[in-house]
Amino acid sequence: MASDTLTITDNRTNLTYTIPIEDGTVRSMDLRKIRTSDEDFGLMMYDPAFMNTASCRSSITYIDGDRGILEYRGYPIEELAERCTFLEVAYLLLFGELPNEAELKNWVHEITHHTMLHETTKQFMEGFRHDAHPMAMLVSTAAALSAVYPEAKDVHNPATRLHQIKRLIGKMPTIAAMSYRHSVGFPYVYPDNDLSYTGNFMNMLWKMVEPKYAANPVLARALDVLFILHADHEQNCSTNTMRSVGSSLADPYLSVAAAAAALSGSLHGGANEEVLKMLDEIGTKDNVPAYIRKVKEGHGKLMGFGHRVYKNFDPRAKIIKKVADEVFQVTGNNPKLEIALELEKIALQDEYFVKRKLYPNVDFYSGIIYQAVGFRPELFTVLFAIPRTVGWLAQWQELLMDSEQKIARPRQIYTGQRRRQFVPMEEREPAVLAGA
Ligand code: CMC
């Protein structure tokens, strides 16, 4: 009779073990009892880069990579992008339900009233060199907020936790905008509480001498939709960092800074900036075949292509193409679009990319839209970090309320030397250094 168990025979000992299967998984700790002797530590799983390891239970985001499905708390991303605002989706991700009218009004009010930065934080940002990368400024400033709000350490207090969550969601656009104004040498613009989340962000970025800045509503809505698409994506590299750092009970500012640092890498959120660099390098549509040939020969990657989980299409990339149409009606076409479309067309027919199931991901078209709206490429990853802060915080909160979680602490297979004879200074020979 079928049972939800796995029977394993250890051919080293001829012993047989039966371990439970729950939710399509076996527990690694159940393997520990498989040993060759009393001294043996027990069997471990080896899974570099977590290719096939679930590290938590989560009820926030569902992804079916083969079918191209993405849902937040059970709602399809397509519907949320069509019908919600970003702050509405933030509420859903954090609390599990869509807010009613009164709840949303209150939530928007609360976030809006946490957008200001302490003046000392502003001065901290002024200390950066004029050419500091905005992501470096964002990571450092998020961490610096830990010094401003020491009560944030009380991570097991739900009220304190919620307070910091509101502060982080409110302040991220302010930090992002200030990092931009700093890099172009313009005076900082303080938040305007009359404006929407994205409208206020655009105000802080681009207001000059006019008494009241009015963001183009189509562009503000496009940004809101892009924020919805980027808000969470289950256990990706930066979210795993947030959970890992948060598991030590570090405060949320430091944990978010760590997560944002993980996001900055070119294989993760930094890819959107790299896509623009790649399109610049390609230059014209005619150069696309040669560029693809170069990638296939092993020289670099097609940035904005491929995904660890999506092996059919990235549903966010589909929505983004629609947003692009709306944005270009206002801004005129971004000339890079022609190159991107050609790249996509050729790559999707090419055996190399088809065989490896490489499709455009969320970063492929987002940069082209951001550039058309007026953002500089250095700011693209910051535009990813603002909404993803919500996902990081939702996952962090879930982690802290999960009684099965402990401090994250993977095991290793030690491959180094053991018990060497100490070599005195005068006897040491020049050697090839590890990591050099
Ligand atoms: N261009 C060319 N070849 C690629 C690409 C690419 N963009 N992505 C993967 N491959 C190849 C890779 O070389 C490997 O080939 P082979 O089997 O011959 O060695 C094969 O496809 C499998 O790739 P992988 O590196 O094992 O896949 P992964 O799941 O470890 O990596 C990825 C996923 C997203 C890091 C990778 O596809 C990549 O580097 N893409 C470009 C960077 C990018 O666009 N990142 C944004 C990801 S989506 C937003 C986010 O999560 O931040």
Side-chain angles (χ1 to χ4, degrees):
M1 201 177 87
S3 76
D4 287 344
T5 56
L6 178 71
T7 300
I8 302 169
T9 302
D10 185 347
N11 294 323
R12 298 170 302 175
T13 57
N14 276 330
L15 291 174
T16 294
Y17 304 82
T18 298
I19 57 176
I21 298 175
E22 205 185 331
D23 298 319
T25 59
V26 292
R27 285 184 181 256
S28 287
M29 281 305 284
D30 283 341
L31 300 180
R32 191 68 82 71
K33 62 185 174 202
I34 304 178
R35 300 191 293 175
T36 51
S37 66
D38 285 348
E39 287 76 48
D40 186 1
F41 180 77
L43 210 59
M44 289 193 299
M45 303 290 290
Y46 177 55
D47 188 12
F50 303 120
M51 296 289 287
N52 194 35
T53 296
S55 64
C56 62
R57 291 175 180 277
S58 182
S59 60
I60 301 172
T61 291
Y62 174 79
I63 301 177
D64 182 330
D66 292 327
R67 294 191 183 83
I69 294 172
L70 170 61
E71 294 169 0
Y72 294 161
R73 302 281 190 185
Y75 292 104
I77 190 68
E78 293 79 5
E79 219 169 324
L80 295 172
E82 181 78 33
R83 302 174 69 168
C84 291
T85 62
F86 168 67
L87 284 185
E88 207 176 337
V89 171
Y91 187 100
L92 171 71
L93 284 166
L94 283 157
F95 308 116
E97 296 297 337
L98 284 166
N100 65 24
E101 208 176 330
E103 286 163 339
L104 181 61
K105 198 164 164 233
N106 186 45
W107 175 241
V108 172
H109 176 87
E110 295 273 304
I111 300 299
T112 306
H113 284 79
H114 282 294
T115 47
M116 285 282 279
L117 291 180
H118 195 280
E119 280 299 293
T120 54
T121 307
K122 192 185 117 194
Q123 285 153 17
F124 172 83
M125 296 189 77
E126 281 164 356
F128 283 95
R129 277 174 54 135
H130 71 280
D131 57 354
H133 194 286
M135 255 325 254
M137 290 180 75
L138 179 117
V139 168
S140 317
T141 310
L145 292 180
S146 168
V148 184
Y149 305 111
E151 72 274 21
K153 284 186 182 62
D154 192 6
V155 296
H156 286 309
N157 180 331
T160 311
R161 226 163 40 211
L162 182 57
H163 201 162
Q164 316 318 314
I165 287 174
K166 289 175 192 165
R167 280 178 169 151
L168 268 159
I169 298 172
K171 290 180 202 318
M172 275 307 215
T174 316
I175 297 172
M178 285 198 179
S179 70
Y180 167 73
R181 302 285 291 202
H182 182 78
S183 68
V184 287
F186 292 159
Y188 299 139
V189 174
Y190 286 86
D192 180 340
N193 285 356
D194 293 342
L195 302 173
S196 68
Y197 191 74
T198 42
N200 175 49
F201 179 44
M202 292 163 89
N203 172 62
M204 291 188 290
L205 285 164
W206 294 316
K207 181 175 169 9
M208 294 307 282
V209 291
E210 64 276 38
K212 191 91 179 167
Y213 175 87
N216 180 303
V218 175
L219 302 185
R221 175 62 192 156
L223 195 55
D224 213 51
V225 172
L226 286 166
F227 279 4
I228 292 172
L229 301 184
H230 286 86
D232 193 50
H233 214 229
E234 53 119 302
Q235 308 311 314
N236 54 81
C237 177
S238 56
T239 302
N240 180 55
T241 304
M242 181 80 194
R243 280 181 172 264
S244 190
V245 176
S247 77
S248 75
L249 307 186
D251 78 41
Y253 300 105
L254 297 171
S255 304
V256 161
L263 185 77
S264 72
S266 61
L267 297 186
H268 194 4
N272 52 16
E273 186 180 341
E274 296 301 318
V275 170
L276 256 282
K277 283 190 202 155
M278 176 183 77
L279 296 177
D280 277 341
E281 191 189 330
I282 296 173
T284 68
K285 196 175 147 184
D286 298 342
N287 294 334
V288 168
Y291 193 86
I292 291 194
R293 214 165 27 246
K294 213 173 76 176
V295 168
K296 284 163 57 180
E297 284 163 3
H299 304 296
K301 281 183 168 177
L302 211 52
M303 298 313 287
F305 257 71
H307 200 275
R308 172 64 61 79
V309 181
Y310 294 123
K311 297 297 172 196
N312 186 346
F313 65 92
D314 181 338
R316 302 168 300 175
K318 277 201 167 173
I319 302 170
I320 279 188
K321 275 181 107 170
K322 197 165 152 261
V323 175
D325 288 342
E326 287 157 14
V327 166
F328 296 149
Q329 285 198 7
V330 176
T331 63
N333 241 352
N334 183 338
K336 308 255 167 49
L337 180 67
E338 202 191 19
I339 307 171
L341 287 170
E342 183 71 3
L343 207 56
E344 181 183 1
K345 195 180 96 196
I346 298 184
L348 291 185
Q349 291 164 0
D350 191 295
E351 205 216 327
Y352 175 96
F353 295 92
V354 174
K355 206 172 94 193
R356 291 171 177 78
K357 301 190 173 179
L358 302 171
Y359 297 87
N361 58 49
V362 70
D363 290 320
F364 191 66
Y365 285 106
S366 62
I368 301 174
I369 302 177
Y370 290 146
Q371 194 176 49
V373 172
F375 295 105
R376 289 163 32 144
E378 301 82 57
L379 215 68
F380 292 176
T381 311
V382 164
L383 295 171
F384 195 152
I386 295 171
R388 183 57 60 87
T389 297
V390 167
W392 293 330
L393 291 167
Q395 302 267 352
W396 169 72
Q397 188 169 246
E398 190 177 63
L399 162 97
L400 291 171
M401 292 193 296
D402 182 346
S403 60
E404 272 202 303
Q405 290 291 343
K406 288 168 176 279
I407 186 165
R409 207 314 184 175
R411 294 275 172 181
Q412 65 167 9
I413 302 171
Y414 180 68
T415 59
Q417 309 202 38
R418 296 291 317 276
R419 294 281 157 174
R420 300 169 82 183
Q421 184 91 38
F422 184 78
V423 185
M425 182 70 80
E426 57 282 8
E427 290 173 25
R428 292 178 203 167
E429 300 283 350
V432 177
L433 301 181

